[in-house]
Amino acid sequence: QVQLVESGGGLVQAGGSLRLSCAASGRTFNGYVIGWFRQTPGKEREFVSAIRWSGSNIYYAGSVKGRFTISRDNAKNTVYLQMNSLKPEDTAVYYCAAARTYYSATDPLNYNYWGQGTQVTVSS
């Protein structure tokens, strides 16, 4: 079955960097889009970034554009989220997810598979 496993979260000071990884397995992901979302307690899951498996389409939320970079390594079946200039408001559990179609790539309801999440904490 499809598995998505996130890693790379942790505690970092404001202004620092982290790189999250999402290792995908269980099928081929051609045509899929892989997205990153984040969630804090009491709030809805928020779109962060997404990339088509081919790399032809990339999407960013306005709040992270210019600071975060999404990329993928098809040979490793892994999608990365490089997060720079981190702010305390970036603190959240970060999830990666896979969708069969890139339509509505920013909508969590579009996604079919989810990882377990990784905690990112940015201290001020």
Side-chain angles (χ1 to χ4, degrees):
Q1 71 273 22
V2 173
Q3 267 199 314
L4 303 172
V5 180
E6 302 98 333
S7 61
L11 173 64
V12 65
Q13 287 190 330
S17 299
L18 284 174
R19 188 177 80 157
L20 305 184
S21 300
C22 174
S25 62
R27 63 156 298 125
T28 57
F29 290 90
N30 293 335
Y32 274 61
V33 63
I34 306 297
W36 285 97
F37 292 80
R38 63 188 182 188
Q39 190 169 24
T40 54
K43 292 191 176 180
E44 292 187 353
R45 201 160 288 191
E46 175 191 23
F47 170 76
V48 175
S49 183
I51 186 170
R52 287 191 74 181
W53 198 252
S54 65
S56 59
N57 297 76
I58 289 177
Y59 311 87
Y60 293 103
S63 58
V64 306
K65 202 166 189 178
R67 300 188 297 123
F68 291 10
T69 302
I70 193 170
S71 61
R72 88 270 184 259
D73 184 333
N74 287 1
K76 294 183 178 180
N77 263 22
T78 300
V79 172
Y80 303 99
L81 185 68
Q82 177 67 43
M83 306 187 296
N84 299 329
S85 302
L86 283 162
K87 305 175 181 179
E89 51 263 43
D90 294 318
T91 295
V93 177
Y94 283 71
Y95 298 89
C96 72
R100 297 188 187 100
T101 174
Y102 67 92
Y103 299 112
S104 302
T106 63
D107 184 353
L109 296 178
N110 186 52
Y111 287 78
N112 308 101
Y113 307 101
W114 291 84
Q116 83 289 350
T118 185
Q119 176 71 47
V120 170
T121 303
V122 184
S123 64
S124 57

